[in-house]
Amino acid sequence: MLGQPVTARACANIALVKYWGKRDSKLNLPATGSLSLTLAALATQTTVMFDTALVQDELELDGFSARFADTARASTFLDLVRDAAGITTRARVTSKNEFPTASGLASSASGYAALALAASKAAGLSLSERELSILARRGSGSAARSIYGGFVRMNAGDTTESAYAEPLTSPLVDRVRMVIAIVGGGTPKQHGSRDAMEHTAATSPYYQPWVELVPKDLEVATAALAKGDLEALGVVAEANALAMHASAMAARPGVIYWQPATIAVHNEVRGLRACGIAAWATMDAGPHVKILTTAEDAPTIAMRVKDIDGVTAVTISASGPPATIAT
Amino acid sequence: MLGQPVTARACANIALVKYWGKRDSKLNLPATGSLSLTLAALATQTTVMFDTALVQDELELDGFSARFADTARASTFLDLVRDAAGITTRARVTSKNEFPTASGLASSASGYAALALAASKAAGLSLSERELSILARRGSGSAARSIYGGFVRMNAGDTTESAYAEPLTSPLVDRVRMVIAIVGGGTPKQHGSRDAMEHTAATSPYYQPWVELVPKDLEVATAALAKGDLEALGVVAEANALAMHASAMAARPGVIYWQPATIAVHNEVRGLRACGIAAWATMDAGPHVKILTTAEDAPTIAMRVKDIDGVTAVTISASGPPATIAT
């Protein structure tokens, strides 16, 4: 017997205060809070249909059957939904990233946010946004933030119930843009972010100071958002990203995500800033550079970084909406 | 009246466990110990002559009158020598780097080691190597190590008298080579190393863990030298350099010395190592990469890195001799 197919749409997000390290890998509890901007340009659309004829979950990603590891991870996640709904039916999941695939941008945030919403609805559950955020977190830590649009703060929480994201209102939400410079598109990264996070936590002399630093950066970023102070937000975002990469670089052996173009873009951002352009760089567990800026300055930045050797694509994104059921 | 001119020759050194941070800037006392390799290819020759006809010290560097700041720094240093010798006579100092100038390699180590030896001798002093090392440190922290050849360990010391360098014997001394890849030669660096050190100590959340890390790395490196274990030495040297740069990168604002080619050379080193080549990278407060290797593997490495975009010169150096009076 077929259940009703349910389609949800969610956008990826870029952290301005990074999520880097877990307290509990089974429950996917983060070591610290984090803060992000949901991006309109990076959306995932996912359809879930429970079907009693299936003997196992099936996952299709961007038109192809998913790899075993990805299907197994989704299946483990669907078990959480089935447990909550009191069902055992297997599901067919079809997910499509509405942005260039293999671009090196983590789509697990948008993917697991969309999956949490579509699967819970298809299973007959009616979860609050907070419950969805907690559920999405179990699939991917950063997915907890993609349930909401705009600026979002993730709470580290004391328990699985208190580790959820919340939206932050800010006068900056309509003004900001993110320029995403893809570096060496297509090259798979050498260190998976989960492994690198664990390796950093286990071996870097700078991991504990990182964990102690994040709550301070979170307060500064939250205050900057409340005041609408883009420069204060940009300064703390760039510094926080460098601190995250520095913690990984000092792991043993060191984890270096940067490519030559990562440095070139970063230097360009500093140069543009010296010329009065609003531009602050952030980088995740990969070589790409995301530049926080304004609607006015975004085109100039995009034009300047697209010609840098090793930059293979540039996208400008506005702030994105919350995860929604597609009608 | 003219004193006798005295000429000394000293070689620069590259730290394998870095000197990064001071306890006392007037006495130039380092925050931690350090460990280096003196390099034959990077020598400075300096002649000092005390002359009662002079009303002020005169400094000539590589054939040109030195800038005021450099002359003033040398003059302050010569005051230490005059105080020890009980004289007030001004001196004429002529110093020449026997390696490409403006190459971006700190020549203050070889420069102040040669100056300490030549000036003390010209002033009639006969200092022990240890006394010379303490004196050279007052001119430049890393110069204390250039009094000795081969592998040298600097002691952090409790007082100015105990902050001196000492040579370490190792079966590796004849086997090792350093391949020096100059990145973007000629571009002056944006952050002087003294300023960046102080900025890092004052603002980086990773500075205190750095200071706590160095003594452990020093013990590992010292043990590796005693055993002749090049791999163990290389691994700790590369990790220590990354930790130093990571501490600077996490300063606020972050100090990034790397250029695109710095990353490209570093990636090449990792690639060569994966192919069985002995190669470990270290970087100082600038964009250049120095690669610890063996006599056999040095030519392969030099050949591979010289074609990297942004690498403007490559030099191979063997271990160098101690500072000596030229006859």
Side-chain angles (χ1 to χ4, degrees):
Chain A
M1 201 189 105
L2 291 178
Q4 283 296 314
V6 177
T7 300
R9 199 166 173 280
C11 295
N13 67 77
I14 295 296
L16 298 172
V17 176
K18 300 296 179 189
Y19 160 47
W20 184 242
K22 302 180 198 297
R23 258 176 312 156
D24 178 312
S25 60
K26 185 164 181 302
L27 293 173
N28 229 14
L29 287 170
T32 67
S34 54
L35 189 148
S36 62
L37 177 62
T38 297
L39 296 181
L42 307 178
T44 298
Q45 185 150 309
T46 299
T47 301
V48 176
M49 187 172 62
F50 287 95
D51 181 347
T52 51
L54 293 172
V55 292
Q56 58 190 10
D57 294 316
E58 290 179 6
L59 174 63
E60 184 186 295
L61 286 179
D62 293 322
F64 296 95
S65 282
R67 294 177 309 171
F68 177 77
D70 290 335
T71 306
R73 184 175 168 191
S75 202
T76 302
F77 180 78
L78 288 167
D79 285 344
L80 299 172
V81 177
R82 281 185 283 258
D83 285 354
I87 62 171
T88 56
T89 318
R90 301 288 119 184
R92 179 171 294 116
V93 177
T94 312
S95 186
K96 189 162 167 41
N97 292 320
E98 299 175 355
F99 52 92
T101 50
S103 70
L105 291 166
S107 50
S108 61
S110 50
Y112 273 94
L115 183 59
L117 180 54
S120 60
K121 194 85 172 175
L125 296 169
S126 186
L127 302 181
S128 67
E129 286 183 324
R130 180 167 299 180
E131 288 166 329
L132 280 170
S133 179
I134 293 168
L135 175 62
R137 191 201 74 228
R138 297 290 296 273
S140 174
S142 54
R145 299 185 307 242
S146 277
I147 296 298
Y148 299 96
F151 293 106
V152 181
R153 181 169 162 154
M154 175 77 194
N155 300 300
D158 295 319
T159 61
T160 186
E161 287 72 28
S162 56
Y164 52 80
E166 292 180 296
L168 294 176
T169 55
S170 170
L172 294 177
V173 74
D174 295 324
R175 198 178 145 211
V176 292
R177 293 292 181 279
M178 195 73 96
V179 178
I180 302 162
I182 300 297
V183 169
T187 315
K189 58 190 182 186
Q190 291 177 314
H191 315 276
S193 55
R194 285 192 172 205
D195 287 353
M197 234 182 223
E198 283 172 21
H199 174 66
T200 300
T203 71
S204 174
Y206 301 161
Y207 183 69
Q208 194 50 42
W210 159 257
V211 168
E212 289 162 23
L213 177 70
V214 174
K216 297 175 208 160
D217 285 352
L218 265 178
E219 289 319 306
V220 172
T222 302
L225 283 175
K227 278 195 295 185
D229 184 342
L230 182 63
E231 180 168 3
L233 181 67
V235 165
V236 75
E238 187 169 301
N240 183 269
L242 287 174
M244 173 201 141
H245 282 266
S247 77
M249 204 172 276
R252 298 203 166 187
V255 175
I256 304 179
Y257 281 110
W258 300 2
Q259 289 297 323
T262 310
I263 291 279
V265 175
H266 196 88
N267 286 348
E268 184 68 34
V269 166
R270 291 193 166 200
L272 286 166
R273 205 158 62 216
C275 299
I277 301 282
W280 294 271
T282 182
M283 292 146 289
D284 290 290
H288 320 298
V289 184
K290 293 97 175 191
I291 305 156
L292 181 70
T293 183
T294 59
E296 306 83 67
D297 286 342
T300 306
I301 296 169
M303 197 185 64
R304 290 291 288 267
V305 300
K306 81 175 172 43
D307 289 334
I308 290 175
D309 259 3
V311 172
T312 53
V314 176
T315 301
I316 299 177
S317 183
S319 169
T324 48
I325 294 293
T327 51
Chain B
M1 200 188 105
L2 292 179
Q4 283 297 311
V6 176
T7 299
R9 199 166 173 278
C11 295
N13 67 76
I14 296 296
L16 298 173
V17 176
K18 301 295 179 189
Y19 160 47
W20 184 243
K22 301 180 198 299
R23 257 177 313 158
D24 179 312
S25 61
K26 184 164 183 299
L27 293 173
N28 229 14
L29 287 170
T32 67
S34 55
L35 189 148
S36 62
L37 177 62
T38 298
L39 295 180
L42 306 178
T44 298
Q45 185 150 309
T46 299
T47 301
V48 176
M49 188 172 60
F50 287 95
D51 182 346
T52 50
L54 293 172
V55 293
Q56 58 189 11
D57 293 315
E58 290 179 5
L59 173 63
E60 184 185 298
L61 286 180
D62 293 322
F64 296 94
S65 282
R67 294 176 307 172
F68 176 77
D70 289 336
T71 305
R73 184 175 169 191
S75 202
T76 302
F77 180 78
L78 287 167
D79 286 342
L80 299 173
V81 177
R82 281 185 283 259
D83 284 353
I87 63 172
T88 57
T89 318
R90 303 286 119 185
R92 178 171 294 115
V93 177
T94 312
S95 186
K96 191 165 166 39
N97 292 320
E98 298 176 354
F99 52 93
T101 50
S103 70
L105 290 167
S107 51
S108 61
S110 50
Y112 274 93
L115 183 58
L117 180 53
S120 60
K121 194 85 173 176
L125 296 169
S126 186
L127 302 183
S128 68
E129 286 183 323
R130 179 167 300 180
E131 288 166 330
L132 280 169
S133 179
I134 293 168
L135 175 61
R137 190 201 74 229
R138 297 291 296 272
S140 173
S142 55
R145 299 185 307 241
S146 276
I147 296 298
Y148 299 96
F151 293 104
V152 182
R153 181 171 162 152
M154 176 77 194
N155 300 300
D158 296 319
T159 61
T160 187
E161 287 73 29
S162 55
Y164 53 79
E166 292 181 295
L168 294 176
T169 56
S170 170
L172 294 177
V173 73
D174 295 324
R175 199 179 144 211
V176 292
R177 294 292 181 277
M178 195 74 96
V179 178
I180 301 162
I182 300 297
V183 168
T187 315
K189 59 189 182 187
Q190 291 177 313
H191 314 275
S193 54
R194 285 190 174 207
D195 287 352
M197 235 183 223
E198 284 172 21
H199 174 66
T200 300
T203 71
S204 175
Y206 301 162
Y207 183 68
Q208 194 51 41
W210 158 259
V211 168
E212 289 162 23
L213 177 70
V214 174
K216 297 175 209 162
D217 284 352
L218 264 178
E219 288 320 304
V220 172
T222 303
L225 283 175
K227 278 195 295 185
D229 185 342
L230 181 63
E231 180 167 3
L233 180 67
V235 165
V236 75
E238 187 169 300
N240 183 269
L242 287 174
M244 173 199 141
H245 281 267
S247 76
M249 202 172 278
R252 297 201 168 188
V255 176
I256 304 180
Y257 281 111
W258 299 2
Q259 290 297 323
T262 310
I263 291 279
V265 175
H266 197 89
N267 286 349
E268 184 68 34
V269 166
R270 292 195 165 199
L272 287 166
R273 204 158 65 216
C275 298
I277 300 283
W280 295 271
T282 182
M283 291 145 289
D284 291 290
H288 320 298
V289 184
K290 295 96 175 191
I291 305 156
L292 180 69
T293 184
T294 59
E296 305 85 66
D297 286 341
T300 305
I301 296 170
M303 195 185 65
R304 289 291 287 267
V305 301
K306 82 175 171 43
D307 290 332
I308 291 175
D309 259 4
V311 172
T312 52
V314 176
T315 302
I316 299 176
S317 182
S319 168
T324 48
I325 295 293
T327 50

